[in-house]
Amino acid sequence: MSLKDDLNQIKENGLVKIESSKSVKELNDQIRVDLLGKKGLITQTLRGISNLPVEERPEMGSYANSIRDTLQVAIDNKAQELEEKELNEKLKSEKIDVTLPENKVIKGHPHVIQQIVDQIDDLFLGMGYEVLSGPEVEEDVYNFEMMNLPKDHPARDMQDTFYITDEILMRTQTSPMQARTLEKHDFSKGPLKMISPGLVYRRDTDDPTHSHQFHQVEGIVIDENITMADLKGTLEVMIEELFGDKFDVRLRPSYFPFTEPSVEVDITCFKCMGKGCSVCKGSGWIEVLGAGMVHPNVLKMAGVDANEYGGFAFGLGPDRFAMLKYGVTDIRDFYLNDLRFLSQFN
Ligand code: DAH
């Protein structure tokens, strides 16, 4: 048999194989390699060309190339055909029957208190604050002393808590995060603006508006030239975000050891909208949080120059916000995990 016959044979057999191939994988990994690969049939046959007389070689070379091209095209066409077929089969087998009855999945949602905390986080993040969390098991130094409440301070009585040792306790407030962040902050890099949400603990009292564990969100802003107007503006933005724009904000003088001056922040009573009712005890206002200008002692104890820097702080209770917003009268409802209660806040 001549070389030409060999090549024709390869072509005929090759085309049959290509046509009967069942998968793109077989086509590429086997047939293509066997026919056209480095060690494939065509290449092997072409070695025989060197045995031909010189003048016959070019013609045989170009004949071999044309066969190679024919096979190449046949493989490519077949591959495309198979790819389409495979895709169609896949689409058919993965088709979803949208007429099937649904598989009802009961979808949960964040706890109502968490929803309020998330809303506060988002708002303050948008105003360039950091959101940090601190330890619930806290040192007396941070929880009290560095907040300007020395060991014998009478205001400690209102915040009796669970003690682990004499110096380690369940924190009674998120305020220790003021001391913790002040201590670390590098003022050459800009102001301190942070809020810190988290759980706090106090000795339980048998009273529906208090719980041994509840939420607080602390906030602090320290820079040069921060005033009480900045505090009021910030609180107004927050109240509007959480309750809507129908509420006025009022600052009333108060006392906290870690702020001077200190204020109690009231908003228009949600029940009577300021007219006076049983909820606001006739005043038209409801107290929602505590705030003030950070006491120089707090700054000094955290190693901050109180002549150069100052600012405001506030502490609010998301549980209380939720009670006010939704008219819930017993704080313990939030912690009983009764879905009939909780799923109202979806
Ligand atoms: N830590 C206070 C409390 O638990 C709340 C508070 C009041 C926080 C005034 C503050 C503040 O940062 O300025 O009763």
Side-chain angles (χ1 to χ4, degrees):
M1 268 211 307
S2 73
L3 206 50
K4 200 165 181 169
D5 291 336
D6 284 349
L7 286 167
N8 285 334
Q9 190 74 57
I10 293 170
K11 180 172 109 179
E12 296 312 321
N13 291 345
L15 289 175
V16 171
K17 265 205 183 125
I18 292 167
E19 196 42 47
S20 58
S21 167
K22 292 270 178 294
S23 76
V24 180
K25 191 167 160 40
E26 180 200 27
L27 205 54
N28 285 331
D29 293 0
Q30 275 180 32
I31 302 181
R32 192 188 290 275
V33 175
D34 288 349
L35 290 171
L36 308 175
K38 267 200 204 115
K39 292 180 186 153
L41 287 171
I42 299 271
T43 315
Q44 279 174 29
T45 313
L46 281 176
R47 293 224 179 88
I49 287 188
S50 55
N51 299 329
L52 293 178
V54 178
E55 59 285 7
E56 287 176 26
R57 290 183 197 171
E59 200 200 321
M60 193 51 68
S62 77
Y63 189 67
N65 281 337
S66 78
I67 286 188
R68 184 202 299 270
D69 291 348
T70 308
L71 290 170
Q72 182 78 54
V73 170
I75 290 175
D76 289 346
N77 288 343
K78 185 72 184 178
Q80 202 184 342
E81 181 192 316
L82 287 174
E83 262 164 31
E84 272 169 34
K85 207 170 130 201
E86 283 170 19
L87 179 66
N88 281 334
E89 269 160 20
K90 200 165 166 212
L91 286 176
K92 217 187 269 171
S93 71
E94 289 176 2
K95 199 164 117 185
I96 294 168
D97 182 354
V98 291
T99 65
L100 273 177
E102 65 171 327
N103 229 339
K104 217 176 176 89
V105 178
I106 299 173
K107 218 167 121 199
H109 61 87
H111 189 281
V112 55
I113 306 287
Q114 191 58 43
Q115 291 177 31
I116 290 188
V117 173
D118 289 345
Q119 223 179 332
I120 296 172
D121 286 355
D122 285 351
L123 173 70
F124 281 95
L125 275 174
M127 296 197 291
Y129 287 59
E130 278 182 280
V131 178
L132 301 175
S133 56
E136 287 169 32
V137 178
E138 183 55 285
E139 294 171 48
D140 183 279
V141 181
Y142 287 108
N143 193 81
F144 290 129
E145 261 165 74
M146 289 178 78
M147 297 316 295
N148 208 22
L149 278 142
K151 282 255 179 334
D152 53 359
H153 199 289
R156 281 192 178 210
D157 288 352
M158 288 187 302
Q159 300 199 5
D160 198 9
T161 181
F162 306 95
Y163 281 82
I164 286 138
T165 69
D166 280 351
E167 298 302 327
I168 298 174
L169 44 80
M170 300 308 289
R171 67 176 177 186
T172 60
Q173 47 184 358
T174 43
S175 302
M177 281 303 283
Q178 292 188 28
R180 283 184 175 274
T181 45
L182 278 169
E183 214 174 40
K184 286 207 195 103
H185 191 73
D186 178 357
F187 283 91
S188 70
K189 302 226 166 84
L192 169 64
K193 291 167 78 182
M194 82 87 197
I195 61 163
S196 184
L199 284 166
V200 300
Y201 302 81
R202 297 208 188 157
R203 192 174 69 98
D204 204 356
T205 42
D206 193 19
D207 156 4
T209 63
H210 288 95
S211 157
H212 69 282
Q213 179 204 49
F214 56 102
H215 292 79
Q216 279 193 347
V217 179
E218 195 73 17
I220 183 168
V221 172
I222 302 289
D223 197 5
E224 296 162 26
N225 307 319
I226 301 283
T227 70
M228 261 186 125
D230 298 312
L231 169 63
K232 190 166 188 215
T234 306
L235 295 175
E236 278 171 350
V237 169
M238 180 174 70
I239 298 299
E240 179 168 342
E241 168 77 13
L242 291 171
F243 293 98
D245 58 9
K246 290 195 267 339
F247 295 85
D248 283 333
V249 175
R250 173 176 89 165
L251 305 187
R252 187 162 40 82
S254 182
Y255 171 77
F256 297 104
F258 33 85
T259 42
E260 182 58 38
S262 302
V263 291
E264 213 79 66
V265 181
D266 298 339
I267 65 169
T268 315
C269 174
F270 62 92
K271 190 83 187 263
C272 62
M273 292 316 284
K275 282 196 214 78
C277 67
S278 60
V279 173
C280 58
K281 298 190 184 83
S283 72
W285 296 95
I286 287 189
E287 181 195 318
V288 289
L289 61 111
M293 303 308 287
V294 175
H295 198 294
N297 286 353
V298 172
L299 296 170
K300 279 182 219 154
M301 279 186 274
V304 177
D305 182 347
N307 291 319
E308 200 155 342
Y309 297 101
F312 63 76
F314 58 86
L316 60 91
D319 309 73
R320 190 166 161 72
F321 272 35
M323 289 173 82
L324 292 175
K325 190 166 176 175
Y326 300 112
V328 174
T329 48
D330 192 333
I331 190 173
R332 294 168 294 199
D333 284 337
F334 292 128
Y335 297 100
L336 291 177
N337 276 338
D338 185 339
L339 287 178
R340 289 169 304 178
F341 173 78
L342 293 176
S343 56
Q344 298 176 88
F345 308 102
N346 191 354

